[in-house]
Amino acid sequence: MLSGENLQFLKNSLTFWDKLTKQQADYIVSNTSLLQYRQKEHIHSGIHDCIGVVVVKKGRLRNYILSDEGKEVTLFRLNSGEVSVLTASCAVESVNFDIQVDAEHDSDIFIIKPEVFKKLCAENIYVENYFFKTLASHFSDVMAAMEQILFLSFEKRLALFLINQSELDGCEYIRMTHESIANHMGSAREVVSRMLKYFQKEGIVELSRGDIGIINREKLERIAE
């Protein structure tokens, strides 16, 4: 049973909360778990693993697709206070999306059972509206990721990735291996390494083992435009 700080956090994250009846609010609380995941731990495995609606209390989650050959592409990340409904796609029969979710950092997450949202979407127009609005936001992120892959050069995609990652981490030094970046971008490590070496030659980044420092952000941003 959630109480105190955890309950308040959940209320703040689910913007429809004040539109619930007491019975509906109690139903959510009694069917919500707070779980801890270590960095790189797997949380959700596609359409056959419908764990429920996820609310991130602490940490960051990576949402990605995985090909039959093991190739990965990051679609979007979730930070503290953000919500994923794709992990509860079984709550809506017409929605089937094969998404994988890992903890990018040590993370604390609330998981609300999928049957809760299925029931409340049928009872409460505000919950239904929230579910589909959040779902639309997810698909917008997915489309943006696909557009980058299909229509942008790899040079521009890598520049955008480095900028976005530095903003997420709040630091000009990105502590990631070339292989990890390749997994995020759906590319090969060799391709990432080659382009990073080009950026280094151009005085845009400096490279060390497991560390990429942005030393000319203005030039990197021009590439990303």
Side-chain angles (χ1 to χ4, degrees):
M1 177 69 71
L2 302 177
S3 61
E5 175 193 348
N6 288 332
L7 180 56
Q8 190 58 50
F9 188 94
L10 193 64
K11 289 179 179 180
N12 293 340
S13 300
L14 301 175
T15 55
F16 57 79
W17 196 275
D18 62 348
K19 303 298 184 182
L20 298 172
T21 66
K22 184 180 185 305
Q23 184 180 20
Q24 289 171 339
D26 289 343
Y27 184 47
I28 292 177
V29 172
S30 61
N31 286 280
T32 299
S33 303
L34 178 60
L35 302 177
Q36 295 181 324
Y37 288 88
R38 303 292 293 177
Q39 185 179 25
K40 296 184 179 180
E41 191 172 354
H42 199 58
I43 297 171
H44 181 262
S45 301
I47 58 177
H48 302 297
D49 182 19
C50 185
I51 62 172
V53 172
V54 167
V55 182
V56 183
K57 182 184 179 187
K58 184 183 74 173
R60 184 189 300 158
L61 305 186
R62 175 183 176 228
N63 297 258
Y64 63 100
I65 51 176
L66 180 66
S67 73
D68 292 339
E69 295 76 27
K71 189 175 181 180
E72 302 174 6
V73 177
T74 297
L75 301 175
F76 57 91
R77 268 81 76 84
L78 294 173
N79 295 295
S80 176
E82 294 184 320
V83 179
S84 174
V85 300
L86 287 177
T87 48
S89 60
C90 61
V92 181
E93 292 181 4
S94 59
V95 178
N96 287 301
F97 197 81
D98 199 7
I99 193 170
Q100 309 286 323
V101 183
D102 290 349
E104 197 164 82
H105 300 301
D106 290 350
S107 301
D108 297 345
I109 65 173
F110 297 99
I111 297 180
I112 307 170
K113 292 180 181 179
E115 57 266 28
V116 173
F117 261 75
K118 186 170 185 177
K119 182 175 187 297
L120 293 185
C121 281
E123 295 179 357
N124 189 311
I125 188 64
Y126 294 100
V127 178
E128 183 183 44
N129 181 64
Y130 177 87
F131 188 94
F132 282 104
K133 187 176 179 179
T134 306
L135 190 63
S137 177
H138 292 334
F139 281 125
S140 178
D141 290 334
V142 171
M143 287 301 297
M146 292 300 102
E147 285 176 358
Q148 280 196 20
I149 293 171
L150 292 172
F151 302 120
L152 297 186
S153 67
F154 187 77
E155 179 184 27
K156 182 170 286 193
R157 286 179 59 211
L158 182 57
L160 282 168
F161 178 85
L162 295 176
I163 291 168
N164 292 337
Q165 190 65 41
S166 71
E167 290 173 352
L168 279 172
D169 295 340
C171 180
E172 294 294 273
Y173 283 86
I174 299 165
R175 289 170 174 80
M176 297 179 73
T177 65
H178 297 187
E179 184 173 2
S180 179
I181 294 173
N183 286 338
H184 277 287
M185 299 184 67
S187 184
R189 181 187 58 77
E190 294 79 10
V191 176
V192 171
S193 296
R194 191 180 309 122
M195 188 59 67
L196 285 173
K197 287 177 183 177
Y198 167 73
F199 284 175
Q200 183 179 45
K201 182 181 177 182
E202 293 295 308
I204 299 170
V205 302
E206 58 182 9
L207 304 177
S208 58
R209 189 174 182 85
D211 199 62
I212 302 161
I214 299 174
I215 57 176
N216 192 330
R217 191 177 187 88
E218 183 179 349
K219 196 168 183 178
L220 191 65
E221 288 174 344
R222 285 202 299 271
I223 294 173
E225 289 176 352

